[in-house]
Amino acid sequence: GAQWALTPEAEPKGMEPVYVHTAFAGADGSSAMWVTWTTKKPSEHSQVRLFDPNGVMYRVINGTEPQQTYDPNAGYSHYVRVDSLAPDTSYSFDVGCPLGGYSAQKFRFHTAPRAGYQKPFTVAMLADMGLVNSNYTRQRLTHLAVNDEIDWILLAGDLSYADDSPGAFYVRIYHEFL
């Protein structure tokens, strides 16, 4: 089912990772995944750690993309591309850095099947979420994802109108919608 990397709706504090998101990477999404998150302060390194089903860490991926911010009050965005993944496979992970610590919560994602694989799947598609009156949509998508009723979510655009004013409030709204 859909593997949302959900984090509590919170403002970033220090090096604590919040707003963890995943997205398919590569030509077909079957062997790579982007993992992103936000911290209040910049860190020396951005890392994703993968865990086996028993909770034992078996791989550390160091980010090569620079941390970015357009407003230091809104926090710093981290981007790590995780390559060499198996198609149609679930992975458990956390995010963070050696000096600032890692997320207390473990997250999951599921890679896409190999291109051309004939397997049915269910997609929830949405667009134009807006800033007001979207709570039901967010609750419904979360319910569908948590109960493995959908495999992917396709966002066709206009997520939260978070770009019409500068400041941390709109960045928080944007991340809450993702």
Side-chain angles (χ1 to χ4, degrees), residues 1-6 22-24 33 88-91 93 107-113 119-126 138 140-154 178:
Q3 306 303 319
W4 282 16
L6 297 174
T22 59
F24 294 129
M33 190 72 79
D88 200 16
T89 303
S90 290
Y91 290 88
F93 71 98
F107 305 97
R108 298 186 302 149
F109 63 75
H110 194 95
T111 54
K119 177 183 176 183
F121 58 90
T122 304
V123 176
M125 184 175 141
L126 65 134
R138 291 172 54 209
R140 180 73 177 139
L141 286 171
T142 300
H143 170 82
L144 292 170
V146 168
N147 291 294
D148 290 331
E149 296 179 40
I150 54 177
D151 296 300
W152 292 301
I153 298 170
L154 174 62
L178 280 178

Side-chain angles (χ1 to χ4, degrees), residues 94-113:
D94 69 7
V95 299
C97 71
L99 297 178
Y102 296 89
S103 55
Q105 180 179 358
K106 298 283 189 295
F107 305 97
R108 298 186 302 149
F109 63 75
H110 194 95
T111 54

Side-chain angles (χ1 to χ4, degrees), residues 25-26 31-33 50 59 61 80-86 91:
S31 63
M33 190 72 79
L50 298 180
R59 184 173 166 204
I61 302 93
V80 176
R81 182 178 166 132
V82 182
D83 288 302
S84 303
L85 300 172
Y91 290 88

Side-chain angles (χ1 to χ4, degrees), residues 19-38:
Y19 309 136
V20 178
H21 307 296
T22 59
F24 294 129
D28 65 5
S30 68
S31 63
M33 190 72 79
W34 279 105
V35 179
T36 67
W37 68 93
T38 300

